[in-house]
Amino acid sequence: MEKANWSSPVVGFILLGLSAHPRLEKMFFVLILLMYLVILLGNGVLILVTILDSRLHTPMYFFLGNLSFLDICYTTTSVPLLLDGFLTPRKTISFSGCAVQMFLSFTMGATECVLLGMMAFDRYVAICNPLRYPVVMSKSVYVSMVVSSWTIGGSASVVHTSLTIQLPFCGNNVINHLGCEILAVLKLACVDITINVISMEVSDVIFLGVPVLFISVSYVFIIVTILKIPSAEGRKKAFSTCSAHLTVVVIFYGTLFVMYWKPKSKDPQGTDKEDLSDKLIPLFYGVVTPMLNPIIYSLRNKDVKAAVRNLVALKYFSQ
C-alpha cells in the first residue's frame, strides 16, 4: 500500500456514480436500501435455519448457508458506500478504502463462482450416484470444498488487487463508476496495463469459463439420469432438488457474462447510455442477485419453508 502511495500523487478517488442522473440517484437510494434490507433478512434467516434445524445439516444446506453468508458479506462491502454516495454531493473514497473494496468485492465474486460449481457437483452426486452420496460427500469433504472456494477466491483477489494498487495514476482520480470496481480503476492508470489485462482474462477463464463448463457437464449427466427415472413423480422430485441451484446459476452467470463480455458501442452519441448500462449491470449483479437467492431457495424448497415455519413458531411460543 505504501509503495502505491509513494509512486502516485493520488491519495483518494472521486466516484462519479450516477451524478449525471440526479433523479435516478434518489430513486435508486430508496430501491437499493429496501433490497439491502431484504438481503440481510432473507439470507440471515437462511443461515439461521441451516444452523438451528438438524434436518438441514446436510452438504447441500451447508453450501447454501455459505452462499447466503457470502451474499451478505458481498453486499455489505459495497452497498453502504453506494447509499452514502447517493446522498453526498462529492463522492470520495480513500486510496486504502478503494483497495479494500476491490479486494473484498473480487474475493466474494470469485468465491461464489467456485462455490456454485461445488454445489453443482453435490447435486450431481446426489442424483447420479445416490448410494455413494454419504461416502463421497462426507463432512470432511464438503467442508474442505467450501474452504477451498474461499481460499481460491481470496488468493486470486490478492493477486489482482496487488497488481492494481501498484500502478501509478498520475493525478487522474475520477472513477466513472458506482464503486471501486477493478476494471474501472485500471482505466485511470497512466502506464501500460497489459499484465493486468492478461491476468483478468485468465481469471475470466478460471472463474467464469471453467465453472460454467463444469456445471454444464454436471447438469447434462443429471438431466440424463432424471429422464431415465420411470415415474413422472420421481422425475419431478429429482429435478426439484436441483432446480433452485440451476435458477441461481443462470441469473448469476448470465449477469456476469453480460457485464464482462458486453460488446461496446461504436456510436459516440451512445456513450452516455453505454456508461449508464455499465453501471447498472454490476448493480443488478451485486444487489438484485443476492436478494433473489434466498427467495428462490425458500420458495422452491419444502425443507427450507418447513424450517422457517418452525423457527417462527418457536419464536412465537417462546414469547
Side-chain angles (χ1 to χ4, degrees), residues 5-59:
N5 284 328
W6 173 83
S7 62
S8 170
V10 171
V11 294
F13 294 99
I14 298 174
L15 302 173
L16 289 184
L18 298 175
S19 56
H21 309 274
R23 292 185 179 179
L24 285 180
E25 285 191 315
K26 296 177 182 178
M27 181 185 70
F28 274 108
F29 175 83
V30 176
L31 188 62
I32 293 173
L33 177 60
L34 292 175
M35 288 193 292
Y36 182 53
L37 294 176
V38 173
I39 289 169
L40 294 179
L41 178 62
N43 287 289
V45 169
L46 269 180
I47 293 173
L48 199 59
V49 297
T50 56
I51 294 175
L52 297 180
D53 196 315
S54 59
R55 293 172 298 177
L56 302 185
H57 292 174
T58 63

Side-chain angles (χ1 to χ4, degrees), residues 125-126 128-135:
V125 178
C128 299
N129 296 283
L131 297 179
R132 297 188 59 196
Y133 184 76
V135 177

Side-chain angles (χ1 to χ4, degrees), residues 51-316:
I51 294 175
L52 297 180
D53 196 315
S54 59
R55 293 172 298 177
L56 302 185
H57 292 174
T58 63
M60 182 176 74
Y61 295 109
F62 182 74
F63 286 124
L64 178 57
N66 272 271
L67 181 64
S68 295
F69 176 71
L70 192 152
D71 283 339
I72 290 177
C73 292
Y74 180 78
T75 52
T76 302
T77 62
S78 57
V79 170
L81 178 65
L82 184 62
L83 293 175
D84 179 67
F86 287 149
L87 299 177
T88 307
R90 186 177 177 83
K91 310 164 186 66
T92 60
I93 184 172
S94 66
F95 190 93
S96 58
C98 188
V100 169
Q101 190 182 68
M102 282 191 294
F103 169 75
L104 293 176
S105 297
F106 196 96
T107 297
M108 303 304 164
T111 300
E112 186 160 354
C113 288
V114 180
L115 188 61
L116 288 174
M118 301 290 189
M119 294 173 74
F121 177 75
D122 172 71
R123 293 297 83 207
Y124 162 76
V125 178
I127 294 175
C128 299
N129 296 283
L131 297 179
R132 297 188 59 196
Y133 184 76
V135 177
V136 176
M137 295 300 297
S138 63
K139 185 175 182 179
S140 60
V141 171
Y142 66 74
V143 171
S144 298
M145 290 168 69
V146 169
V147 172
S148 298
S149 299
W150 283 93
T151 303
I152 293 171
S155 300
S157 184
V158 167
V159 172
H160 290 296
T161 306
S162 299
L163 288 174
T164 302
I165 64 175
Q166 293 182 56
L167 295 172
F169 296 100
C170 307
N172 185 10
N173 66 338
V174 180
I175 301 176
N176 187 19
H177 209 275
L178 295 169
C180 285
E181 204 268 339
I182 287 184
L183 295 179
V185 175
L186 286 176
K187 294 178 181 179
L188 305 182
C190 54
V191 294
D192 181 57
I193 58 170
T194 302
I195 294 178
N196 302 77
V197 172
I198 292 175
S199 65
M200 288 297 295
E201 290 175 348
V202 171
S203 289
D204 287 346
V205 174
I206 295 174
F207 294 107
L208 293 179
V210 174
V212 167
L213 179 62
F214 182 80
I215 292 170
S216 300
V217 172
S218 298
Y219 271 100
V220 167
F221 285 105
I222 288 172
I223 292 172
V224 170
T225 302
I226 290 176
L227 292 177
K228 291 180 180 179
I229 298 175
S231 66
E233 184 65 26
R235 290 194 296 270
K236 182 179 178 181
K237 184 177 180 181
F239 184 74
S240 67
T241 64
C242 58
S243 58
H245 172 259
L246 186 59
T247 304
V248 169
V249 165
V250 171
I251 295 174
F252 178 80
Y253 281 106
T255 308
L256 277 181
F257 277 116
V258 171
M259 182 168 68
Y260 283 100
W261 291 345
K262 180 175 72 70
K264 302 299 180 181
S265 172
K266 295 182 180 180
D267 181 11
Q269 297 180 354
T271 301
D272 183 64
K273 184 183 294 186
E274 182 180 339
D275 287 342
L276 181 60
S277 66
D278 287 342
K279 297 172 184 177
L280 295 184
I281 291 172
L283 190 63
F284 183 92
Y285 155 74
V287 180
V288 178
T289 303
M291 182 189 69
L292 291 177
N293 287 352
I295 296 175
I296 292 170
Y297 276 102
S298 61
L299 290 178
R300 303 182 67 88
N301 193 299
K302 295 180 181 179
D303 293 334
V304 172
K305 287 190 286 188
V308 172
R309 286 195 296 266
N310 292 337
L311 181 65
V312 173
L314 181 63
K315 182 178 181 181
Y316 175 78

